[in-house]
Amino acid sequence: MDANQYLQRLRTLQKQLADANVVYDRFGRADQLKQIEQIEAQIQAIPQALRDQVYCDEIRMELPAFVESYLLKRAARFIEGTADLKDALLRMVTTPDPLITTNLQLARVAKGLPALQQAGTLDEDLDIAIELAQSFDETRKVIGSYYVTFERFVREYLDDRERFRVAQGHLDEADDLRAALRQWQANIVEYRANFAAYDRVSSDPTIRLQVARRRVVSQVVVLQLLGAGSEHIENRMADIQGNWNAKQAP
């Protein structure tokens, strides 16, 4: 069997293994487990170099989406978008990044970076992935999902603001969200330096309001990175606030 036949055989076996695991997860029968073991044995019989090649190809295919997701996570935590992006990605070869480890799919791709390094292609692979990821072509097609999160954060802020007003009797910021947003954006440096302090769950109305502000601003940063204009975002906030106010009216 030549290399191409081995590669075709490997991909067929991998699909069979994935299907068999799905069936076993659902029914858990002994014969299904035996089938999984047989498929795994056939995969192990294929030369290691070819298995490594297929694994590296799979990781390369997923790298642009991986880098794109990482960029968005960095933006949501007010980490500079691209200044040290490649260095941060290279560090993942030896040191897990907390922004990645909490997501199983992203962690799986990050786990494959050492294989690309061993193959001697990691540097070039990352350059290509970064260039593709920064276009955000695919993400822009589903930007609506980011607006869903944005709208939820805005509504949560309005709820927490009302709780704060009840507790404190006043609110020292603009009532109009578009104006308030501009005030909050001036504090991005503070948010970046003290991110953990704005990520706590608390019953304190002051802390809850700080967390709610940070979440709104972080989502605005993400939407702007995806190409949404400031005026469009502010108008969206005004619409959400108008609907929220209407629901509060007696």
Side-chain angles (χ1 to χ4, degrees):
M1 188 179 294
D2 63 25
N4 287 333
Q5 290 173 318
Y6 268 125
L7 291 173
Q8 184 176 357
R9 175 65 174 159
L10 177 57
R11 292 188 174 95
T12 299
L13 288 170
Q14 287 175 328
K15 184 179 185 308
Q16 291 176 355
L17 181 61
D19 293 342
N21 276 311
V22 170
V23 174
Y24 180 70
D25 288 343
R26 182 175 181 183
F27 299 105
R29 298 201 312 260
D31 62 313
Q32 294 165 344
L33 178 59
K34 184 176 181 180
Q35 181 186 16
I36 289 173
E37 291 172 346
Q38 290 173 342
I39 296 172
E40 288 177 339
Q42 293 178 67
I43 290 175
Q44 291 299 316
I46 293 175
Q48 181 68 50
L50 293 176
R51 282 186 279 143
D52 291 344
Q53 178 183 332
V54 169
Y55 178 62
C56 287
D57 287 344
E58 291 172 352
I59 296 300
R60 288 187 191 100
M61 287 290 293
E62 296 188 58
L63 265 185
F66 170 81
V67 174
E68 182 179 293
S69 295
Y70 183 58
L71 268 174
L72 297 176
K73 287 180 178 293
R74 285 164 61 93
R77 293 210 171 210
F78 310 106
I79 300 172
E80 294 297 341
T82 58
D84 66 339
L85 176 60
K86 187 172 180 181
D87 287 341
L89 292 166
L90 288 170
R91 283 196 297 273
M92 290 184 204
V93 173
T94 56
T95 306
D97 190 310
L99 294 181
I100 297 299
T101 53
T102 55
N103 183 299
L104 292 178
Q105 182 177 354
L106 297 179
R108 180 182 59 78
V109 178
K111 191 177 179 181
L113 296 179
L116 297 180
Q117 185 180 59
Q118 187 172 359
T121 64
L122 179 60
D123 196 73
E124 181 181 358
D125 291 335
L126 286 179
D127 285 339
I128 294 171
I130 290 170
E131 182 178 353
L132 292 173
Q134 288 174 338
S135 70
F136 291 108
D137 289 338
E138 290 303 314
T139 303
R140 281 185 176 147
K141 294 177 184 177
V142 293
I143 194 171
S145 65
Y146 292 93
Y147 274 118
V148 169
T149 303
F150 170 66
E151 291 180 9
R152 176 168 62 85
F153 285 166
V154 171
R155 288 194 299 271
E156 288 175 358
Y157 163 76
L158 292 168
D159 290 339
D160 285 325
R161 182 175 73 173
E162 191 59 30
R163 294 190 189 98
F164 180 90
R165 272 184 170 148
V166 170
Q168 303 294 329
H170 68 283
L171 180 68
D172 294 329
E173 69 181 30
D175 186 68
D176 180 72
L177 276 182
R178 289 170 294 193
L181 175 62
R182 298 182 193 112
Q183 288 179 279
W184 306 339
Q185 287 173 321
N187 295 322
I188 283 180
V189 174
E190 176 193 348
Y191 290 165
R192 183 185 295 119
N194 301 283
F195 186 85
Y198 292 92
D199 207 26
R200 291 196 300 263
V201 176
S202 173
S203 60
D204 184 324
T206 300
I207 294 176
R208 287 183 64 90
L209 192 62
Q210 291 172 340
V211 171
R213 288 183 192 128
R214 192 276 302 165
R215 286 176 174 165
V216 172
V217 179
S218 72
Q219 199 65 14
V220 168
V221 171
V222 170
L223 290 171
Q224 289 174 332
L225 185 59
L226 290 170
S230 296
E231 183 177 357
H232 180 71
I233 293 172
E234 290 182 7
N235 289 338
R236 195 93 175 220
M237 288 183 72
D239 289 342
I240 299 167
Q241 185 174 18
N243 290 334
W244 187 89
N245 289 339
K247 289 181 180 179
Q248 306 306 309

